[in-house]
């Protein structure tokens, strides 16, 4: 596996409304725990659609891993230009800082948001260019935005394509949080 698409829930779907939320480090730790074995097996690129939430937290985790895995490259490919135009200032600053650190960033459409076709085009391109998907998705939490990526991954598998769908669930994140809390009290 050379190219991994990492995507999942948006922050608001997780009831996370700022970058200081206590769950974010555990979500990033879950992403890291999935990325390390893939890096050991030759992962070269992490691809992200750049949504505010798991997409960017996975990017952040990957950027931290670049210290130990310098071969890793990170790309953010958004659906349209100025994706952060209506974001709050703190989110914009966070996003701009990540853009300065990634190896590649672009938009599928050079226009501002015009319609769902831009999202569809981005999603198709990311799934086509990736060898596998890391998806933060939990059936019990509800479908949310990751459902569309899951459907695309399953369609690719149905055609006989070897396209692994690796998942992170809410239970995985909770387990990491519980372990960290237990370790803090020892």
């Amino acid at each position: 596996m050379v190219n991994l698409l990492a995507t999942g829930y948006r922050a608001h779907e997780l009831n996370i409304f700022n970058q200081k939320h206590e769950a974010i480090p555990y979500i990033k730790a879950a992403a890291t725990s999935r990325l390390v074995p893939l890096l050991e097996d030759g992962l070269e690129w992490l691809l992200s659609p750049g949504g505010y939430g798991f997409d960017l937290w996975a990017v952040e985790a990957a950027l931290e891993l670049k210290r130990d895995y310098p071969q890793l490259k990170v790309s953010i490919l958004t659906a349209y230009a100025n994706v952060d135009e209506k974001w709050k200032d703190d989110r914009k600053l966070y996003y701009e800082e990540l853009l300065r650190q990634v190896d590649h960033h672009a938009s599928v459409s050079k226009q501002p948001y015009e319609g769902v076709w831009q999202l569809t085009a981005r999603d198709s391109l990311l799934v086509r260019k990736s060898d596998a998907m890391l998806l933060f998705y939990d059936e019990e939490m509800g479908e949310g935005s990751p459902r569309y990526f899951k459907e695309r991954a399953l369609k690719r598998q149905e055609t006989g394509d070897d396209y692994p769908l690796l998942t992170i669930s809410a239970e995985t994140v909770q387990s990491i949080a519980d372990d960290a809390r237990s370790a803090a009290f020892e």
Side-chain angles (χ1 to χ4, degrees), residues 29-122:
T32 299
S33 72
R34 288 302 220 142
L35 290 173
V36 167
L38 300 173
L39 287 161
E40 298 287 338
D41 285 339
L43 177 66
E44 294 177 16
W45 279 92
L46 180 115
L47 311 175
S48 171
Y52 182 72
F54 182 75
D55 296 2
L56 294 181
W57 299 325
V59 164
E60 196 175 351
L63 290 170
E64 291 169 9
L65 284 168
K66 285 181 72 144
R67 283 176 256 168
D68 295 324
Y69 301 92
Q71 80 278 9
L72 179 62
K73 306 270 188 293
V74 181
S75 174
I76 296 175
L77 186 64
T78 61
Y80 50 90
N82 303 325
V83 70
D84 63 337
E85 184 175 57
K86 296 182 180 177
W87 292 5
K88 293 179 181 179
D89 288 342
D90 61 328
R91 289 184 186 180
K92 281 184 183 183
L93 291 172
Y94 168 70
Y95 180 67
E96 290 166 3
E97 178 61 29
L98 290 178
L99 289 182
R100 282 192 285 278
Q101 296 177 58
V102 299
D103 300 284
H104 173 264
H105 65 87
S107 298
V108 172
S109 169
K110 302 300 178 202
Q111 303 302 317
Y113 182 76
E114 293 177 348
V116 72
W117 67 269
Q118 292 164 306
L119 301 170
T120 304
R122 176 208 57 202

Side-chain angles (χ1 to χ4, degrees), residues 177-186:
D178 292 345
D179 290 350
R181 287 184 188 117
S182 292
F185 289 113
E186 289 180 0

